[in-house]
Amino acid sequence: NLLAAVRLSAHLLPTDEAEAERIAACRDIEELAARSGALLALVRPLLAGATVARVPVSPAEVLMALRRALKDRDIGGAALSIAPGRTLPDVRVDPDALYHLLLTLVHGSLEAAAPDGRVRVFAEHQGRRVILSVSDNGRQVDLDEIRRGSTPRGRELAIRVADAVLRRMGGRASAELQRRGTRIDLFLPAMALKKA
């Protein structure tokens, strides 16, 4: 609620600043509040342990919600594309946690790919898993910090949090370096496809 109040009151910044500076400051406040909200939402599944609620959810619905949330955001100028994710089987997860994990990871990738890079979010069905992927052509993550770092920060911390949360839902997260950039994969337990 406090973060929502900060976002809504950004327009109350002093008007003696130049209009362009005021608009930029409002955008920064909006962006930081949104990112903080997504991170705070992950505290619940981290504290819940084995009691994380898992329900069937369509990956397409989660990706559509992500697309809506990021539709009008200009995050450092990087281009973002989100595949529709249709024809995939449902996954059994906490949909709120999955949405906030994706939002956090996409924000980190957009920041790494700024100012003129690309971020792609896409999904595929592979055996008993659905894999949601966030791929960018920006600054690469530090894989050692993700695997063994004692105090990870930024994207490295977000990937470790994603792995911890998803393991409580029967999934996992991983990162790999690409020729340019990083690919983050979220492995989710797929439900059996219904026969027609």
Side-chain angles (χ1 to χ4, degrees), residues 22-45:
R22 189 161 108 55
I23 289 171
C26 287
R27 278 195 194 122
D28 289 347
I29 290 170
E30 169 76 19
E31 187 56 38
L32 291 171
R35 289 179 78 169
S36 298
L39 288 168
L40 285 173
L42 296 173
V43 172
R44 179 189 52 79

Side-chain angles (χ1 to χ4, degrees), residues 2-196:
L2 289 174
L3 282 174
V6 167
R7 292 172 77 175
L8 291 172
S9 61
H11 69 279
L12 298 176
L13 289 171
T15 57
D16 56 342
E17 293 184 35
E19 186 64 16
E21 291 175 5
R22 189 161 108 55
I23 289 171
C26 287
R27 278 195 194 122
D28 289 347
I29 290 170
E30 169 76 19
E31 187 56 38
L32 291 171
R35 289 179 78 169
S36 298
L39 288 168
L40 285 173
L42 296 173
V43 172
R44 179 189 52 79
L46 283 172
L47 295 178
T51 61
V52 172
R54 297 188 299 166
V55 298
V57 64
S58 163
E61 289 177 20
V62 175
L63 292 171
M64 188 184 319
L66 184 68
R67 192 178 301 111
R68 279 192 305 265
L70 296 168
K71 182 181 174 192
D72 296 324
R73 299 248 178 95
D74 176 23
I75 304 170
L80 173 65
S81 66
I82 301 174
R86 294 185 196 103
T87 74
L88 295 169
D90 287 354
V91 293
R92 192 170 192 79
V93 296
D94 175 335
D96 188 55
L98 177 58
Y99 166 77
H100 286 101
L101 282 173
L102 277 170
L103 195 58
T104 298
L105 294 169
V106 169
H107 275 287
S109 290
L110 285 167
E111 189 174 63
D116 54 6
R118 286 186 47 221
V119 176
R120 290 185 328 124
V121 181
F122 55 97
E124 63 183 310
H125 181 207
Q126 195 177 81
R128 294 155 92 185
R129 303 275 185 203
V130 168
I131 305 168
L132 297 181
S133 301
V134 179
S135 176
D136 67 74
N137 63 353
R139 178 184 48 81
Q140 295 180 324
V141 297
D142 182 339
L143 293 178
D144 287 334
E145 190 65 24
I146 293 169
R147 294 180 187 129
R148 293 181 288 281
S150 57
T151 56
R153 300 171 52 156
R155 284 204 304 166
E156 289 79 7
L157 176 60
I159 294 165
R160 276 183 55 180
V161 167
D163 189 55
V165 169
L166 291 178
R167 284 187 185 275
R168 292 172 183 184
M169 296 185 239
R172 67 182 176 88
S174 71
E176 64 181 60
L177 303 183
Q178 302 179 114
R179 191 173 61 79
R180 275 191 71 205
T182 303
R183 175 174 165 159
I184 303 164
D185 292 321
L186 306 182
F187 296 85
L188 310 170
M191 298 185 65
L193 288 170
K194 295 177 185 166
K195 295 181 181 176

